[in-house]
Amino acid sequence: MIHPLEPQPSDPCHGDTSSPQWRPELEAKYAALGARLEPLIPCLEWSLYLPWIDAIQTLKRERGAVIMAHSYQSPEIFHGVADITGDSLALAQAASACDAQLIVLCGVHFMAESAKILAPDRTVLIPDLEAGCSLASSITAADIRELRQRHPGAPVVSYVNTSAEVKAESDACCTSANAVQVVEAMGADKVIFLPDRYLGRHVAQQTGVELVLWNGCCEVHEQFTAQQARDARERFDAKLVAHPECPPEVQDEADFVGSTTAMGAWLEKTQPQRVALITECSMADNLRSRFPEVEFIQPCNLCPHMKRITLPNIHACLRDLRHEVTVPEAIADRARAALERMLAIGRRDRV
Ligand code: 13P
Ligand code: SF4
């Protein structure tokens, strides 16, 4: 049971008249959600989140909107307001099948762009336009054209963590859930694979196809060290699960390396007593409620871009219908071909 403190009139968080106000009846209305979030959210925060969750749910119904949230979103968003949750492949699949006219994408900009490309007649909003990604900003469309000149005839597979312009220059997209299968589907001896060099190395270990890699990396996963991984194993007797965006020496320590969705599938299959998820911090929060019997050791690196999305800016996004994500048609048409090639292959995580 979470016991919210009744906010005081002098509370700066509640002094803003545009903020939805806490009301005692909200506690009963969201009792089931509160019970689910109790292990994930400090109890003092619950009374601050509840009015926003209620206001967002109301606006969402009025607008006929669907909220999609990536697995790295904070629990109050992931569990509190999202209709569809998952990894970047799941969100792309959901966008391409979406009936709602309005999609609010709680994730980073490339995810919202992918949604818009796959659902061109829908309005796609992102609560903060500055929610970027170090991988997406590591490569441009001109870089790809130059790579093609240096490696004539080699097809280009780009990770979805790229801009629409880069996707438009690519033969196919992939996520960490299907990268090996997409590379092999190119039917070539040599493939240009970008921009994540660590994911590239992980893929290269599983295929005979020669990969030309780019020097991009994720600023969040890059910070994990092999020493941290060993500490988690030795001090806590934990199993280690790492995202393929982690450096090679961290992946080499792990019991399992896979996409965010594959991590959940691995936990389901393996049922470890204790696990360290070597990935963005919220992933463990969001899986903890699904696996109450597993103890999560949390090596905690937050993605500053994912964390730009908050309940107040989701509310403002629905209220003011901002910020719309658009992609010029000529770019969208070419990028869609690359994304659809990936969707046709689907999910092939090996667990
Ligand atoms: P997934 O493809 O596993 O969702 O990962 C996306 C991402 O941004 C990881 O940092
Ligand atoms: Fe990009 Fe890394 Fe953040 Fe994922 S965790 S969105 S790859 S910066």
Side-chain angles (χ1 to χ4, degrees), residues 8 43 60 91 110 114 133 176 201 215 222 226 231 253 279 285 299 319-320:
Q8 299 303 304
C43 61
K60 191 170 71 172
L91 300 187
F110 75 79
S114 296
C133 168
S176 53
R201 181 256 193 191
N215 203 17
E222 183 186 43
D231 279 355
E253 292 287 340
T279 189
D285 285 333
R319 184 193 58 204
D320 306 337

Side-chain angles (χ1 to χ4, degrees), residues 150-347:
R150 288 216 305 263
H151 303 276
V156 173
V157 172
S158 57
Y159 196 25
V160 283
N161 297 39
T162 45
S163 65
E165 289 79 6
V166 165
K167 289 182 174 80
E169 295 289 338
S170 307
D171 293 281
C173 292
C174 72
T175 75
S176 53
N178 57 18
V180 176
Q181 291 73 25
V182 174
V183 162
E184 290 181 347
M186 295 298 104
D189 296 335
K190 179 158 105 175
V191 167
I192 300 169
F193 183 90
L194 49 91
D196 187 340
R197 64 181 189 272
Y198 298 148
L199 174 64
R201 181 256 193 191
H202 176 66
V203 173
Q205 285 178 326
Q206 298 169 68
T207 177
V209 178
E210 181 194 345
L211 297 187
V212 176
L213 301 181
W214 186 250
N215 203 17
C217 69
C218 162
E219 68 187 82
V220 180
H221 289 87
E222 183 186 43
Q223 291 170 38
F224 291 113
T225 65
Q227 188 58 46
Q228 276 177 315
R230 283 193 292 274
D231 279 355
R233 189 198 303 284
E234 285 157 20
R235 290 179 51 207
F236 300 102
D237 192 25
K239 294 286 182 202
L240 304 180
V241 172
H243 196 278
E245 290 170 11
C246 291
E249 61 278 14
V250 174
Q251 294 188 35
D252 291 346
E253 292 287 340
D255 297 287
F256 177 71
V257 177
S259 73
T260 50
T261 296
M263 288 178 182
W266 187 86
L267 289 182
E268 206 139 272
K269 183 176 147 197
T270 314
Q271 302 283 335
Q273 201 186 343
R274 209 166 287 131
V275 68
L277 293 188
I278 309 178
T279 189
E280 212 271 352
C281 203
S282 291
M283 189 68 210
D285 285 333
N286 295 328
L287 280 179
R288 195 177 287 151
S289 64
R290 198 170 131 202
F291 298 100
E293 69 291 350
V294 177
E295 193 183 331
F296 287 84
I297 312 292
Q298 222 162 325
C300 212
N301 285 350
L302 293 172
C303 172
H305 310 288
M306 289 282 181
K307 266 37 196 190
R308 293 185 83 97
I309 312 299
T310 62
L311 290 175
N313 64 24
I314 297 170
H315 181 262
C317 170
L318 278 164
R319 184 193 58 204
D320 306 337
L321 296 179
R322 70 178 192 201
H323 304 276
E324 185 167 359
V325 174
T326 56
V327 180
E329 208 177 302
I331 291 173
D333 287 346
R334 292 163 61 215
R336 189 175 307 113
L339 278 166
E340 281 177 349
R341 213 157 162 192
M342 169 186 84
L343 291 180
I345 290 168
R347 181 180 296 283

